[in-house]
Amino acid sequence: MNIEASEKLALFGGAPVRPTLLPYARQSIDAEDIAAVSRALAGDWVTQGPGVKQFEEALAAVAGARHAVVVANGTAALHAACWAAGLGPDDEVITTSLTFAATANAVVYQGARPVFADIDGATLNLDPDAVKRLATPRTRALLAVDFAGLPCDWDKLRALALEHGWLLIADAAHSLGGALGGRPVGTLADLTTFSFHPAKLITSGEGGAVVTDRDDLAERLRIARHHGIRYQDPARPWRYEIDVPGHNFRLTDFQCALGLSQLARLEGFWAARDRLARRYRERLAGSPFLELPALPADRRHGRHLFVVLLRLERLTVDRDTVLSALRAENIGATLHYPLAHLHPFYRRRFGYGPGLCPIAEAAERRLVTLPLFPTMSEADQDDVLRALDKVFTHFARRAS
């Protein structure tokens, strides 16, 4: 510790560590990004034009997939993937509760039931053994999340999917740029979804995509994106039919221009995040007040979030008080995520409640997300570390 015990927390009226808020995430937009959007806006196509195809081709190459279909946002990507998978009433999809609710919501949009499996307490990703225990004849798909950016154990999940005949869907909103055993995220599942929200590694403002190697799924994704329309004759575009209603999930050309420009800097964004994440791990590894999630040697972390787990038994307060204290110090720490199965909707609709995923529930009570983004400086990071020391010094449980 390097903070005097007498230093008063900003939560109780003391001076904050920083004069202004350091957010947990921030987009990085440069002059070339702006120029790319300007060129798109000055062109002939604002939407449904050639810029969409250009972004899709570049994204597919980065992801290592044959097809990329871009959509309006990451939630639309999840919904389109579930639509393309043909999910419907009476179907079950095994997924994680430690995720933004959009993951499970996409299953519900199709009338299917999300079944929540517990996580591995070390990696915070789905536990394959927990998944195996939940398999039923109604299970149609497995939808796993690369939490914080760490790729799941996709080899074990793939083996389960093949054994049971499930479709394997990756929610890779956090892990673009990540890899498992040298294989890029985008090659590890039947369908892989990405998000281009400003907090993610690259942004198109809003935006998302689904990548796949399967021609049939790619065609279904394109139909889902455009109202469910099937064209009978490309030479007569006024002749079309709708077999199953789709959605308007289209992404504009000027958003694709921004995404394409950002994609060219993906590796640089990742490297900046990785450097800061490694520095966090070096500085925090010896803290008696927190634990760090495991980072298996065969994974390249996508570095979307930097999360820590509080050792609450060594503190006199709960996670929310720690977050409030950090926010008062102008450190934009937050929680990723309130567990999906404990949201009121999932309690009412499916009867879920506490005790369903005990490992996830124990982890959620301890989780804190610290700021991490490419333009964050080491001085910014030092402010985070100073604020943590200040808060931990104040709330440390004293030996009796």
Side-chain angles (χ1 to χ4, degrees):
M1 288 295 166
N2 54 24
I3 298 293
E4 294 297 326
S6 60
E7 188 171 354
K8 192 173 185 180
L9 291 183
L11 187 66
F12 302 130
V17 164
R18 292 174 58 91
T20 59
L21 180 69
L22 178 70
Y24 92 87
R26 178 182 290 156
Q27 71 276 10
S28 178
I29 304 294
D30 69 5
E32 180 49 40
D33 293 331
I34 296 170
V37 173
S38 295
R39 288 192 296 270
L41 288 171
D44 294 331
W45 295 88
V46 172
T47 190
Q48 300 184 75
V52 175
K53 184 178 180 182
Q54 291 168 8
F55 186 29
E56 288 179 336
E57 289 176 346
L59 184 61
V62 167
R66 291 184 62 194
H67 304 281
V69 179
V70 296
V71 292
N73 49 62
T75 301
L78 285 162
H79 192 175
C82 290
W83 194 98
L87 299 178
D90 298 325
D91 292 334
E92 293 180 347
V93 177
I94 299 175
T95 190
T96 177
S97 188
L98 186 56
T99 182
F100 185 57
T103 307
N105 290 351
V107 175
V108 175
Y109 296 155
Q110 292 300 113
R113 179 188 183 96
V115 176
F116 296 103
D118 215 341
I119 61 171
D120 176 282
T123 64
L124 306 181
N125 280 334
L126 269 180
D127 178 356
D129 290 333
V131 170
K132 188 172 185 177
R133 290 192 293 270
L134 293 175
T136 75
R138 295 175 59 185
T139 307
R140 283 283 308 282
L142 172 56
L143 172 49
V145 176
D146 293 336
F147 179 72
L150 178 69
C152 292
D153 190 341
W154 287 106
D155 291 335
K156 288 185 178 179
L157 297 179
R158 168 67 73 184
L160 284 171
L162 290 173
E163 177 185 351
H164 294 281
W166 302 336
L167 198 70
L168 191 58
I169 306 174
D171 180 344
H174 296 181
S175 57
L176 178 64
L180 170 64
R183 292 165 290 158
V185 169
T187 66
L188 307 173
D190 298 306
L191 291 159
T192 300
T193 70
F194 296 118
S195 169
F196 308 130
H197 179 274
K200 303 302 195 297
L201 264 75
I202 68 167
T203 187
S204 55
E206 287 283 356
V210 190
V211 302
T212 183
D213 278 340
R214 285 179 48 176
D215 296 346
D216 60 330
L217 291 176
E219 179 62 18
R220 285 185 58 80
L221 290 166
R222 296 184 183 104
I223 292 168
R225 173 176 65 183
H226 189 45
H227 302 282
I229 288 176
R230 293 178 182 271
Y231 291 100
Q232 298 173 327
D233 181 354
R236 297 187 292 173
W238 57 90
R239 297 287 296 168
Y240 63 85
E241 59 187 15
I242 295 175
D243 182 47
V244 178
H247 305 273
N248 182 354
F249 287 157
R250 298 189 299 261
L251 192 64
T252 65
D253 277 60
F254 57 89
Q255 287 175 292
C256 288
L258 176 57
L260 186 60
S261 179
Q262 289 259 305
L263 192 61
R265 305 209 308 284
L266 173 65
E267 188 63 23
F269 288 153
W270 180 86
R273 287 172 175 266
D274 184 60
R275 176 180 55 80
L276 289 167
R278 289 178 183 276
R279 191 168 184 263
Y280 265 140
R281 292 184 73 92
E282 290 169 3
R283 301 300 195 276
L284 296 174
S287 172
F289 300 108
L290 56 79
E291 297 175 3
L292 300 172
L295 182 55
D298 64 342
R299 324 258 175 109
R300 171 167 146 146
H301 200 295
R303 298 304 192 194
H304 169 50
L305 301 175
F306 191 88
V307 299
V308 299
L309 293 154
L310 299 176
R311 289 181 170 172
L312 293 175
E313 74 280 4
R314 299 187 179 186
L315 299 169
T316 60
V317 294
D318 62 10
R319 188 269 326 284
D320 285 356
T321 303
V322 171
L323 284 176
S324 295
L326 290 171
R327 286 294 183 104
E329 302 294 340
N330 279 323
I331 302 300
T334 188
L335 167 64
H336 291 89
Y337 296 92
L339 297 179
H341 78 274
L342 296 179
H343 288 304
F345 171 82
Y346 288 94
R347 290 175 181 247
R348 289 194 309 268
R349 172 71 73 87
F350 302 108
Y352 294 141
L356 180 68
C357 299
I359 297 174
E361 290 166 31
E364 190 261 10
R365 289 191 289 271
R366 303 167 56 210
L367 272 172
V368 169
T369 299
L370 301 178
L372 179 69
F373 51 91
T375 56
M376 183 173 152
S377 67
E378 290 189 359
D380 292 330
Q381 190 174 43
D382 287 342
D383 287 341
V384 178
L385 298 169
R386 175 178 165 82
L388 285 170
D389 277 354
K390 185 178 177 183
V391 170
F392 289 155
T393 297
H394 185 91
F395 290 125
R397 190 178 295 278
R398 313 300 175 191
S400 58

